[in-house]
Amino acid sequence: MCGIVGYCGPRATPEVLLQGLKRLEYRGYDSAGVCVAHHGKLQVVKRVGKLRELTLALDHSLPGSYGIGHTRWATHGGITETNAHPHLDRTGKIALVHNGIIENYETLRARLENKGYRFQSETDTEVIVQLISDFYQGDLEDAVRQTLSLLKGTYGLAILHADHPDIIIAARNGSPLVIGVGEGEMFLGSDVAAMVAYTRQVIYMEDGDIAVIDRQGYRLTNSFDRKVDKKIETISYQLEEIEKGAYPHFMLKEIHEQVHSIPRAYQGRIDHENATAKLGGLNMKSQQLLHIDRVKIIAAGTSWHAGMVGAYLLESLARIPAQVELSSEVRYRNPIIEKNCLYFAVSQSGETADTLFAMRELQRKGATVLGIVNAVGSTIARESNGGVYIHSGPEIAVASTKAFTSQVTVFYLLALMFARLRHLSWPEGKKFIAELESVPGKLSLALEQEAHIQALAKKYAAYKDFLFLGRGINFPVALEGALKLKEISYIHAEGFSAAEIKHGPIALINPETPSLFLVPNDSLRDKVVSNINEVKGRGGPVIAVCEDGDTEVMRLADDVITVPSVSEFFTPLVMVVPLQLFSYYCALELGRDVDQPRNLAKSVTVE
Ligand code: G6P
């Protein structure tokens, strides 16, 4: 995945690069490095480990008015200082940072080795810088163009040359890059977060774009060397949104923010008078929407779970057949595009390679794909045929929380809109809207359980295996609960439909394997209660998340987390919050790095 930054201007370059990398650390954090150019010399500093290692090692007053930096999530080659970026060519005059994967690097490397080149690292990236060096005859841009024409794979690149003071060359194909425009200074980053402290004026690079950036501005061309004119966009979010504030971790901040982020997903989108939702971004008229016979949803990770809730809502409320599929599977399955089928690509980052490539494949075959995206200006947001921003604000913790509940909220709006176009009456629509608008208040009540959940985490964090069990609309929430626990606490956890345990997972039940049951007071409650009895009968500890006042469940379970009562469709929003808090506190109890769990990254821009 990796994060890239670049800067040219009068500020202290190391400081700007480190600040930018700090904002991009969510993209990868196994090593980091910077290169600063000064008087025809490149100074490279790299360190293994989190950014703080580099921050300690780097001389913050290192002179130089342009530089590049990188935070790595290793793909090719182990986590070592040699494999960390920036990489230098054999003359030591060209430095390069890369986000993406070069698929034909072995062939290119062999070709260069035959010419006598010796490689320092095990990375795919080093071939790029050595190729540029090989082509270089005084014109850096030309050497970069020749190199890019040989590369197969994905890249976001930033390149410096000691003999070309004050320019950075950037190139993009499949990995995001944004140019920041300041006064007498320019920025580069994988994401606007890298530059938001300095400028709000940005240009989103497209695939095939090459930018030559200096202090005064930039020149953007495409792969055919034709000038590209792009509008400068103004980014809206505030610096506080990407800072922890009084919270110890971004994850806890983001869990608490849900009381406000859920309303942001529906505010301004509800037509109270007509008891429906208005979603202008879909770029589709009611008549077109009426002709939709089927919905398919593609996504990865937590977004996939939100998509599962969405499919359930679209079928149950709107009565539209809806399916959800992992985007990583869609692309290579040679999907069949059905007539009158509408696709949704769900992605917090809007950059997930699996989802992006699946979307492109579907579009290539003629499908209409709408995005449900958080990151404004991201690739999926720009390349989709329309869509809905979830507006949950920047999500920094690697484990997704508020984006999940906002994605689900957007599905409430979509289901309502489709249902009102078809069969749902005005009073039923009104009731649904009132219930949706009451959720944030109920979520505040759910958050009041925090101290109790923390105590439960103390009691349970030492267990090695967990089952998360739910049914119906809460089956995906059980999957999400298990994913949260494993990704940040490293406790092994699996999610199942509670009904499914008798077909296998019940063999795992013993006094060392707690089961966390989701028991809303819905149409399937009694069946879930029977499953609790089956687990209890086999000596398995049970934690139940149930509605306040459900005395039967409270008696049956070893421990209980109560949530306020909401109608069946809205239970995922109140059920997921205790699971997020439980994971958070288990991870804390075990001394894990909550916001940056091992081996993971937030924005997965590799397949
Ligand atoms: C990564 C993140 C997950 C996220 C998934 C999909 O694996 O660690 O938290 O759910 O990617 O990301 P997206 O940005 O497409 O929602």
Side-chain angles (χ1 to χ4, degrees), residues 107-162:
T107 321
L108 297 171
R109 184 170 167 143
R111 198 188 295 176
L112 287 165
E113 278 171 343
N114 281 340
K115 287 177 102 174
Y117 281 77
R118 290 289 156 261
F119 282 77
Q120 306 298 317
S121 76
E122 304 153 293
T123 63
D124 53 338
T125 303
E126 198 182 344
V127 296
I128 315 175
V129 73
Q130 301 290 18
L131 273 174
I132 296 172
S133 184
D134 198 47
F135 284 121
Y136 181 73
Q137 288 184 341
D139 183 340
L140 182 61
E141 192 183 338
D142 181 63
V144 170
R145 277 183 193 286
Q146 292 195 59
T147 300
L148 298 185
S149 70
L150 298 182
L151 302 182
K152 289 202 174 74
T154 55
Y155 51 78
L157 299 172
I159 304 149
L160 294 182
H161 194 302

Side-chain angles (χ1 to χ4, degrees), residues 300-303 346-350 352 355 398-400 407 487 601-602 604:
T302 291
S303 299
V346 189
S347 175
Q348 186 286 126
S349 63
T352 300
T355 307
V398 165
S400 183
Q407 289 164 341
E487 66 185 340
K602 187 152 189 70
V604 184

Side-chain angles (χ1 to χ4, degrees), residues 141 145 148 206-211 219-230:
E141 192 183 338
R145 277 183 193 286
L148 298 185
E206 306 277 345
D207 282 353
D209 285 352
I210 298 174
R219 186 167 51 81
L220 205 59
T221 48
N222 62 18
S223 46
F224 307 107
D225 204 6
R226 296 224 177 84
K227 190 163 176 282
V228 176
D229 281 321
K230 269 210 182 100

Side-chain angles (χ1 to χ4, degrees), residues 17 30 184 208 231 246 504 521:
L17 297 177
D30 54 45
K231 164 164 125 268
N521 195 7

Side-chain angles (χ1 to χ4, degrees), residues 359-381:
M359 177 177 91
R360 286 179 179 161
E361 175 68 3
L362 293 168
Q363 287 174 317
R364 202 186 53 73
K365 292 181 162 211
T368 300
V369 187
L370 303 176
I372 297 179
V373 173
N374 189 30
V376 176
S378 57
T379 312
I380 294 176

Side-chain angles (χ1 to χ4, degrees), residues 2-38:
C2 312
I4 290 179
V5 293
Y7 176 69
C8 37
R11 297 175 200 258
T13 302
E15 204 54 49
V16 179
L17 297 177
L18 285 173
Q19 283 302 319
L21 290 176
K22 187 168 154 231
R23 305 293 185 200
L24 297 183
E25 225 185 348
Y26 72 87
R27 301 180 66 86
Y29 34 79
D30 54 45
S31 56
V34 296
C35 174
V36 178
H38 186 57

Side-chain angles (χ1 to χ4, degrees), residues 34-105:
V34 296
C35 174
V36 178
H38 186 57
H39 287 322
K41 278 216 165 59
L42 301 182
Q43 308 242 28
V44 175
V45 184
K46 314 197 246 190
R47 284 296 179 272
V48 164
K50 298 265 165 78
L51 189 63
R52 63 179 165 266
E53 303 302 329
L54 179 68
T55 309
L56 289 174
L58 187 66
D59 171 3
H60 293 217
S61 58
L62 203 66
S65 58
Y66 68 127
I68 55 178
H70 188 268
T71 176
R72 181 170 186 244
W73 187 85
T75 58
H76 296 65
I79 301 164
T80 63
E81 210 161 285
T82 317
N83 288 336
H85 302 214
H87 289 283
L88 294 175
D89 75 320
R90 66 173 173 182
T91 66
K93 287 196 155 192
I94 309 174
L96 174 143
V97 291
H98 170 217
N99 167 205
I101 287 182
I102 304 306
E103 287 163 7
N104 59 338
Y105 83 100

Side-chain angles (χ1 to χ4, degrees), residues 249-537:
H249 295 100
F250 279 110
M251 184 177 177
L252 191 62
K253 177 183 181 229
E254 287 159 7
I255 291 172
H256 280 266
E257 264 176 37
Q258 294 176 107
V259 175
H260 307 291
S261 53
I262 291 176
R264 279 203 300 272
Y266 65 68
Q267 271 158 4
R269 290 168 166 170
I270 293 177
D271 176 354
H272 286 95
E273 210 180 310
N274 294 303
T276 188
K278 41 177 198 220
L279 299 164
L282 299 183
N283 299 331
M284 291 174 82
K285 297 203 174 70
S286 306
Q287 287 84 347
Q288 289 169 293
L289 290 167
L290 249 184
H291 286 115
I292 299 301
D293 293 331
R294 181 179 290 279
V295 165
K296 290 192 179 174
I297 300 162
I298 58 164
T302 291
S303 299
W304 180 58
H305 298 150
M308 289 172 87
V309 177
Y312 187 99
L313 287 168
L314 286 162
E315 287 212 351
S316 314
L317 186 72
R319 308 300 297 151
I320 299 182
Q323 282 170 295
V324 54
E325 199 175 351
L326 288 168
S327 39
S328 51
E329 293 300 326
V330 171
R331 183 185 180 201
Y332 296 106
R333 202 171 40 75
N334 196 8
I336 297 165
I337 311 299
E338 289 166 77
K339 244 174 102 189
N340 301 334
C341 175
L342 187 61
Y343 285 83
F344 285 97
V346 189
S347 175
Q348 186 286 126
S349 63
E351 300 293 349
T352 300
D354 290 326
T355 307
L356 174 63
F357 296 153
M359 177 177 91
R360 286 179 179 161
E361 175 68 3
L362 293 168
Q363 287 174 317
R364 202 186 53 73
K365 292 181 162 211
T368 300
V369 187
L370 303 176
I372 297 179
V373 173
N374 189 30
V376 176
S378 57
T379 312
I380 294 176
R382 282 179 295 115
E383 290 190 17
S384 54
N385 302 94
V388 191
Y389 278 122
I390 64 169
H391 292 314
S392 62
E395 192 182 61
I396 312 287
V398 165
S400 183
T401 53
K402 63 175 180 171
F404 173 81
T405 46
S406 294
Q407 289 164 341
V408 169
T409 303
V410 164
F411 277 113
Y412 289 121
L413 299 179
L414 286 167
L416 171 68
M417 183 194 70
F418 275 112
R420 285 285 292 131
L421 277 173
R422 285 148 202 258
H423 64 88
L424 201 76
S425 69
W426 188 86
E428 286 167 325
K430 285 296 268 187
K431 185 164 170 268
F432 187 85
I433 292 169
E435 283 168 351
L436 174 61
E437 289 180 330
S438 74
V439 167
K442 305 254 172 87
L443 224 60
S444 305
L445 296 176
L447 285 164
E448 286 176 8
Q449 294 281 309
E450 186 169 349
H452 171 56
I453 295 170
Q454 184 172 9
L456 287 183
K458 254 190 194 342
K459 176 173 169 187
Y460 285 97
Y463 285 87
K464 300 275 180 274
D465 303 283
F466 268 83
L467 300 186
F468 282 72
L469 304 161
R471 289 205 69 180
I473 198 168
N474 283 295
F475 165 44
V477 178
L479 298 181
E480 175 59 10
L483 177 65
K484 280 295 85 89
L485 189 65
K486 68 185 132 195
E487 66 185 340
I488 59 164
S489 73
Y490 320 147
I491 298 172
H492 173 237
E494 297 299 336
F496 294 102
S497 157
E500 203 52 28
I501 51 168
K502 58 186 174 290
H503 298 300
I506 202 162
L508 298 170
I509 298 299
N510 63 32
E512 300 308 315
T513 309
S515 296
L516 195 151
F517 276 91
L518 301 176
V519 209
N521 195 7
D522 63 9
S523 48
L524 291 167
R525 176 197 168 275
D526 294 349
K527 306 221 174 282
V528 179
V529 169
S530 303
N531 301 137
I532 297 181
N533 275 307
E534 287 156 15
V535 169
K536 287 295 300 170

